[in-house]
Amino acid sequence: MQFIDLKAQYEFAKQRIDQRIAAVLDHGQYIMGPEVSELEGQLARYVGVKHAITCANGTDALQLALMAMGVGPGDAVIVPTFTFFASAEAVAFVGATPVFADVDSRTFNLDGEKLAATIGKVQASSSLKLKAIMAVDLFGQPAAYESIQSIASAHNLLVIEDAAQGFGGERNGKRAGSFGDIATTSFFPAKPLGCYGDGGAVFTNNDDYAALIKSLRVHGKGSDKYDNVRIGMNSRLDTLQAAVLLEKLVLFPAELARRQHVAGLYSAELENNPVVVTPKCEGGVTSSWAQYTLQAKAVSRSTLQRSLQRQHIPTAVYYATCMHQQSAFTSATPPLSDLSVAESLAACCFSLPMHPYLADEEVERVIFTLQNTLL
């Protein structure tokens, strides 16, 4: 059993993907070839925004978003502490300061009440100028953008949606990537929509942001490549990756449906299991189930993982160390608020196999193993 089976996906779509790659090899436009603009158009239509601008990876997408918003030294951006390092790293990279906030224990996303409290503490006790909130759609579920946007508007803050794991998820009829002032995603191979290398994208309805990001991703280019009007970066999605993503996007709706099915099987059987706590989606929310993440309850996480490992069932632990506990941030950005929920999650969460090519009998074997752990 594979934790994420990329080989099975390739075998399913091999002929179409190979044809797309061969077409790129034939025309030879390996950087910013026609497949890149074709993909950007399809991504924008899928998400439901005016602009989708691809780039080299999801971390660059965050950095491009921050640069376009003018976030820099002296500014602060609120980031959930229970997430991947890149979310806060991008903030630090542009010279701003990440301020960490706690998360909800069932959705794993920013907690609205704690977000508001964190903003209050920054304003009361810090010389930093709050500029934005970066919400992360962790494990596939879009964050509570209604409350996040309301809080942001009350304090005149920008909102960035980090949809690296959320792409394909929905909230009240809107797709991940359409929330906030700017949204970003990653096409890292293990993501719900992944390429065969690195890749990312930025989404926005703001024409000015879109134009700026298109310039920033190519060295701050102006009218041509020798007219550099600003300091930018080199962050272009290569044409081969765009070709792969075009074919994977065709498969994506069916794969999302299969992810829903697998998650439904897990939740139906494990929801009342005494040894774990299952993830919960808020009303009106559909997760893309980038991961299916449990919390160990009656026994330790390591005990459950060993039990599964004995049956050759792989598991993974994501974010065993919160952002505010990372060596890069412990001295530079001391916590301004209580982060105990995230610390608890970091100590007990683990993820089960989750991908669209997981057979029902494999899911049942995982469930059976967990149900019999205490017997």
Side-chain angles (χ1 to χ4, degrees):
M1 187 185 304
Q2 299 295 314
F3 185 74
I4 298 173
D5 197 339
L6 299 176
K7 184 177 180 181
Q9 183 193 52
Y10 173 63
E11 290 299 326
F12 182 80
K14 183 178 188 302
Q15 183 176 359
R16 295 183 59 152
I17 290 174
D18 287 354
Q19 287 175 346
R20 275 284 191 176
I21 291 173
V24 176
L25 296 176
D26 283 342
H27 67 57
Q29 299 177 57
Y30 301 123
I31 301 295
M32 302 297 283
E35 287 80 1
V36 174
S37 58
E38 181 183 355
L39 175 66
E40 289 177 338
Q42 291 198 22
L43 289 172
R45 285 189 292 274
Y46 178 84
V47 170
V49 294
K50 290 177 66 176
H51 304 284
I53 306 104
T54 55
C55 59
N57 56 68
T59 306
D60 281 3
L62 289 170
Q63 186 177 332
L64 286 164
L66 291 162
M67 292 170 72
M69 288 175 162
V71 176
D75 294 332
V77 178
I78 293 181
V79 182
T81 189
F82 189 62
T83 185
F84 182 57
F85 188 73
S87 302
E89 179 185 33
V91 175
F93 198 82
V94 298
T97 300
V99 174
F100 300 112
D102 212 352
V103 297
D104 181 87
S105 63
R106 292 299 298 274
T107 68
F108 309 113
N109 288 329
L110 273 176
D111 181 300
E113 289 186 8
K114 294 182 178 180
L115 171 62
T118 301
I119 291 172
K121 289 183 179 179
V122 174
Q123 293 174 334
S125 62
S126 173
S127 61
L128 294 169
K129 177 186 175 184
L130 270 179
K131 192 75 173 280
I133 299 165
M134 182 185 293
V136 179
D137 302 339
L138 204 67
F139 302 138
Q141 179 176 179
Y145 288 102
E146 297 85 0
S147 63
I148 291 169
Q149 190 63 62
S150 176
I151 293 167
S153 297
H155 295 278
N156 198 28
L157 300 176
L158 297 165
V159 176
I160 302 168
E161 177 192 6
D162 180 351
Q165 296 178 28
F167 191 83
E170 297 185 18
R171 185 178 184 92
N172 296 326
K174 292 184 63 177
R175 282 182 168 150
S178 67
F179 297 99
D181 297 279
I182 299 181
T184 69
T185 199
S186 167
F187 300 125
F188 183 78
K191 294 296 190 288
L193 179 65
C195 55
Y196 290 161
D198 265 323
V202 184
F203 304 95
T204 186
N205 286 313
N206 186 302
D207 295 341
D208 293 334
Y209 282 155
L212 187 52
I213 291 164
K214 287 177 182 178
S215 168
L216 288 167
R217 70 171 171 178
V218 190
H219 303 287
K221 184 173 78 73
S223 59
D224 62 63
K225 68 178 181 179
Y226 297 117
D227 175 33
N228 301 95
V229 297
R230 56 182 58 86
I231 301 300
M233 56 197 295
N234 180 21
S235 186
R236 299 165 295 194
L237 181 72
D238 72 71
T239 312
L240 284 168
Q241 301 304 337
V244 170
L245 286 166
L246 280 166
E247 289 307 319
K248 287 199 171 188
L249 194 55
V250 174
L251 304 176
F252 195 53
E255 290 188 342
L256 281 176
R258 180 65 192 174
R259 287 178 179 271
Q260 298 297 325
H261 174 76
V262 171
L265 292 177
Y266 279 143
S267 294
E269 298 295 329
L270 295 174
E271 189 171 14
N272 297 315
N273 188 294
V275 301
V276 295
V277 177
T278 55
K280 180 181 179 181
C281 285
E282 295 182 295
V285 174
T286 301
S287 176
S288 62
W289 297 110
Q291 306 296 340
Y292 189 89
T293 302
L294 299 172
Q295 299 174 52
K297 185 169 64 172
V299 296
S300 69
R301 174 171 65 194
S302 58
T303 297
L304 294 173
Q305 288 187 283
R306 284 194 298 269
S307 177
L308 291 161
Q309 186 177 27
R310 283 193 291 270
Q311 299 302 318
H312 308 289
I313 298 169
T315 60
V317 174
Y318 291 91
Y319 323 128
T321 304
C322 293
M323 286 300 97
H324 69 280
Q325 298 168 324
Q326 296 280 352
S327 299
F329 292 126
T330 49
S331 59
T333 54
L336 295 175
S337 58
D338 175 58
L339 302 170
S340 57
V341 172
E343 291 174 356
S344 174
L345 292 173
C348 72
C349 280
F350 68 104
S351 299
L352 301 178
M354 169 54 77
H355 59 84
Y357 301 89
L358 198 64
D360 284 9
E361 53 267 28
E362 291 179 305
V363 179
E364 294 299 335
R365 183 153 65 91
V366 176
I367 292 168
F368 178 83
T369 303
L370 283 172
Q371 288 176 332
N372 287 274
T373 297
L374 295 180
L375 297 181

